Amino acid sequence: MNSVKQSNQIKHYMHSYSFLILLSAVIAIGLAKNVAASQISVHEKIENEIHSYIKAKIDKSPDKKTEIIISPIDRRKKLSFCNNNLSIALASKNGLKRNNTVSVACNGAWRIFVPVKVKTLSPIVTARKNLAVGEFLNQQNLEIKYIDTSLVIGPVVYNIEDITGSKVKRYIQGGRPLLANLICMVCKGEQVNVIAKNGKLQIKSTGLALNDGSRGQKISIKNNSSGRIIEATVMAVGQAEINLKKY
């Protein structure tokens, strides 16, 4: 009888011991999760502070959009909370650029360096579809897109109306920015209206374009009446201008 009682007591102690081990394991796992969550929230807080810091340094423009891309901080880094004493500064003294390194420090407890990319997107004219050589430009084959102009090599165009009626000189892939040197507002072998100006005085004539040109470029034109070759500045589609004061 005593042996049965002792056996039951042993079983009771074993069950209680197992329960305590299980409870300890659950508590340990919970604490570990809380610590991990705390570490993640620290990293996220730092990234949010960096974003606010960079945003405040960007020149605001209603015509442009800005993207701030922060390289994620390694979640394995053990960083303590800083209680609003976080020190953030650009590592370089050259000001904000496309690629930056941001220094973040906490009261001498720790310091990290975080890469941050800033993209400035401008609304520029792009090809809505593939554009073949000789194709005329219009509202149907052009569109405005926000593009990171720092990656574009060449003179971009900002207004579709300015180049409507221009002709494609070189193949342009759909979705790509439309560069002024890929089109001609006045094209070689075509008739061009010429306006000679001297103050309020204007003399209009026509001529044959001897080379291609976009806005602001000088081209040679053979006057239809005199046969004289003159030099004029392209002002718009099919139009060039001469400043008589220079002659």
Side-chain angles (χ1 to χ4, degrees):
M1 188 71 178
N2 290 335
S3 62
V4 173
K5 186 176 181 180
Q6 288 178 348
S7 176
N8 289 336
Q9 287 178 340
I10 292 172
K11 288 181 180 181
H12 174 73
Y13 291 141
M14 289 294 292
H15 284 305
S16 299
Y17 183 69
S18 298
F19 174 76
L20 289 174
I21 292 176
L22 180 61
L23 181 61
S24 298
V26 170
I27 292 172
I29 292 172
L31 289 173
K33 286 184 177 180
N34 288 337
V35 170
S38 174
Q39 288 295 322
I40 291 173
S41 63
V42 171
H43 294 82
E44 289 176 345
K45 182 178 185 299
I46 295 170
E47 290 166 355
N48 290 337
E49 292 288 341
I50 292 173
H51 189 280
S52 298
Y53 171 80
I54 294 295
K55 187 177 180 180
K57 283 188 166 294
I58 295 173
D59 294 331
K60 295 180 181 179
S61 172
D63 299 328
K64 296 181 179 180
K65 294 181 179 180
T66 304
E67 286 185 7
I68 301 172
I69 304 171
I70 301 171
S71 295
I73 300 170
D74 188 348
R75 269 27 182 185
R76 293 170 296 182
K77 287 182 180 291
K78 294 183 178 180
L79 304 173
S80 58
F81 277 104
C82 210
N83 299 322
N84 298 322
N85 292 319
L86 211 59
S87 174
I88 304 176
L90 289 172
S92 171
K93 295 181 180 179
N94 297 326
L96 195 65
K97 297 185 179 299
R98 188 174 191 275
N99 294 301
N100 308 273
T101 300
V102 176
S103 168
V104 186
C106 177
N107 296 329
W110 51 261
R111 178 184 295 273
I112 59 173
F113 293 92
V114 183
V116 179
K117 183 175 292 185
V118 179
K119 291 183 179 180
T120 300
L121 310 178
S122 299
I124 64 174
V125 179
T126 61
R128 191 185 295 271
K129 64 182 186 65
N130 295 339
L131 300 176
V133 174
E135 191 168 349
F136 287 97
L137 301 177
N138 53 52
Q139 294 280 353
Q140 284 67 49
N141 54 26
L142 300 174
E143 62 182 345
I144 299 291
K145 279 187 178 181
Y146 280 87
I147 301 290
D148 185 354
T149 52
S150 66
L151 301 178
V152 180
I153 300 175
V156 298
V157 179
Y158 294 97
N159 197 324
I160 292 177
E161 287 73 20
D162 288 346
I163 58 170
T164 298
S166 299
K167 190 183 292 185
V168 177
K169 290 198 303 182
R170 300 177 193 171
Y171 170 80
I172 303 173
Q173 185 179 0
R176 302 288 293 179
L178 202 84
L179 304 180
N181 57 0
L182 301 180
I183 65 173
C184 55
M185 300 178 79
V186 173
C187 304
K188 181 179 179 180
E190 295 184 352
Q191 290 294 309
V192 54
N193 295 315
V194 182
I195 301 176
K197 287 186 175 182
N198 186 359
K200 293 183 179 181
L201 176 65
Q202 291 189 5
I203 302 173
K204 296 182 180 181
S205 62
T206 58
L208 184 70
L210 301 181
N211 50 290
D212 297 331
S214 292
R215 186 188 300 277
Q217 294 180 333
K218 291 186 179 298
I219 61 170
S220 296
I221 300 172
K222 184 177 181 180
N223 187 282
N224 288 338
S225 300
S226 66
R228 179 188 173 194
I229 296 178
I230 58 175
E231 193 175 70
T233 303
V234 176
M235 303 302 294
V237 175
Q239 182 178 314
E241 187 177 290
I242 303 172
N243 187 351
L244 292 176
K245 287 183 179 180
K246 295 181 179 180
Y247 291 89

